[in-house]
Amino acid sequence: MSSSTPFKVTMPDGMTLIGRDWPLPGHVTRRGAVLLIHGVGEHSGRYDHVADALHAVGLHVRGYDQRGFGVSQGPQGRLPWSDALQDDAQLMYAKYEADLAAQGESRPPFLLAHSMGGAVAARIVTARSVRPRGLILSSPAFDPVLSAAERGAIEFFSGSAPNLPLRHHIRPEQVTHDPDVIQAIKDDILMHNHVSPRLVMSIITAGQGALATAPTLTVPTLLQVAGSDSVVVPAKSRDFAQALPDGVGCLLWYEHLFHEIYNESPPDRARVLSDLQTWLKSQL
């Protein structure tokens, strides 16, 4: 499995984010690059196997830990302003694009994002803040699963106590059928379940904004969606795909899979990653 090389990036507010590069093996011809953005509670270090799959089609890979997650700085699950994750993503994408250009790569990188990262990525692309070569969304959090009481409390406290420490109640058993992955999540000291009203509202508003502007999107887009997702509302991904202009989107629906489709049981995981590779090859 590929290993990554860490690096640091300082944001305009002084916060340090930790990135990871997964260089292509020396015998593989580079055909492009992709930036990964992870989901809530996790970190980019969980994507070694995804990097392997991307290497197989000739893509250099970079990821980063979002602020307040993994080994990046920031209070866990709290944001200094509502669009902080989107602003960070724009800067990290621009830095990657500039780094690639300095290496002689004229093509912009793809953008691949999971769950919370999917809402962030979809919003900055539909807002035309960045224009990737292609957009891949894995179980994007266009609408997190919340009860009416939870949603009301989040909306109320986002104004009066936006960084009130809260905990999400997503269990490892909700995100995958694979017992080894479930145990790995429980053992991973870099994962946490801290959120805040501002963070949750930032995900909700990013998803709403992406859905509202989907009809204007011209970037080739792949959605890989878990049909048995209990973390985000999968039907919103179908709405997003249906709102895209003709020829822009491709929706792949995995009826019986849970939220983390790239970490599902090995046969299903292999199928999902193979589908990802097939779509990418069609864009190269």
Side-chain angles (χ1 to χ4, degrees):
M1 190 171 292
S2 297
S3 59
S4 60
T5 302
F7 62 92
K8 296 180 180 180
V9 180
T10 301
M11 296 291 106
D13 67 336
M15 196 67 62
T16 297
L17 304 189
I18 303 302
R20 303 171 189 267
D21 277 321
W22 287 267
L24 273 168
H27 65 280
V28 177
T29 300
R30 184 155 77 183
R31 304 177 68 191
V34 59
L35 179 67
L36 299 176
I37 307 181
H38 67 76
V40 72
E42 59 162 354
H43 56 91
S44 59
R46 301 183 69 225
Y47 287 78
D48 286 349
H49 65 297
V50 178
D52 282 341
L54 297 169
H55 284 169
V57 295
L59 297 178
H60 181 280
V61 183
R62 175 174 289 185
Y64 68 96
D65 292 357
Q66 300 193 74
R67 65 171 66 218
F69 296 94
V71 292
S72 286
Q73 289 184 337
Q76 290 183 333
R78 284 174 276 175
L79 299 179
W81 65 92
S82 296
D83 294 336
L85 298 185
Q86 294 176 47
D87 293 344
D88 289 346
Q90 290 179 48
L91 286 169
M92 292 298 287
Y93 186 89
K95 173 175 172 49
Y96 193 25
E97 192 169 22
D99 290 348
L100 291 168
Q103 299 167 18
E105 174 61 73
S106 61
R107 298 160 297 191
F110 290 91
L111 186 54
L112 188 159
H114 172 68
S115 191
M116 173 184 75
V120 170
R123 187 64 192 117
I124 64 172
V125 176
T126 58
R128 303 191 179 186
S129 302
V130 302
R131 184 175 175 82
R133 191 173 173 186
L135 175 64
I136 304 106
L137 302 174
S138 158
S139 300
F142 290 128
D143 190 15
V145 172
L146 297 168
S147 69
E150 288 171 331
R151 192 172 294 265
I154 289 294
E155 291 175 352
F156 175 79
F157 286 114
S158 66
S160 60
N163 276 321
L164 178 71
L166 302 173
R167 293 181 183 271
H168 70 66
H169 301 292
I170 303 168
R171 296 174 290 104
E173 293 81 5
Q174 286 178 263
V175 302
T176 177
H177 291 88
D178 188 333
D180 292 335
V181 175
I182 290 170
Q183 189 59 50
I185 292 172
K186 293 177 178 178
D187 294 340
D188 191 339
I189 61 173
L190 294 181
M191 294 188 71
H192 68 75
N193 62 358
H194 301 285
V195 294
S196 64
R198 179 178 283 160
L199 173 62
V200 178
M201 281 305 302
S202 77
I203 298 170
I204 292 171
T205 56
Q208 290 173 340
L211 283 161
T213 50
T216 68
L217 184 61
T218 58
V219 172
T221 300
L222 171 66
L223 293 103
Q224 293 186 282
V225 179
S228 296
D229 202 328
S230 61
V231 177
V232 304
V233 180
K236 292 294 183 179
S237 289
R238 195 184 298 278
D239 293 343
F240 184 85
Q242 291 174 343
L244 295 175
D246 290 345
V248 169
C250 174
L251 172 65
L252 299 181
W253 191 272
Y254 304 97
E255 183 61 39
H256 301 295
L257 300 195
F258 288 170
H259 185 61
E260 289 192 359
I261 55 175
Y262 298 146
N263 287 318
E264 266 287 16
S265 297
D268 291 317
R269 182 189 316 161
R271 174 166 60 99
V272 171
L273 290 172
S274 177
D275 288 343
L276 170 62
Q277 291 171 325
T278 298
W279 184 83
L280 283 165
K281 289 175 183 176
S282 74
Q283 304 299 317
L284 296 175

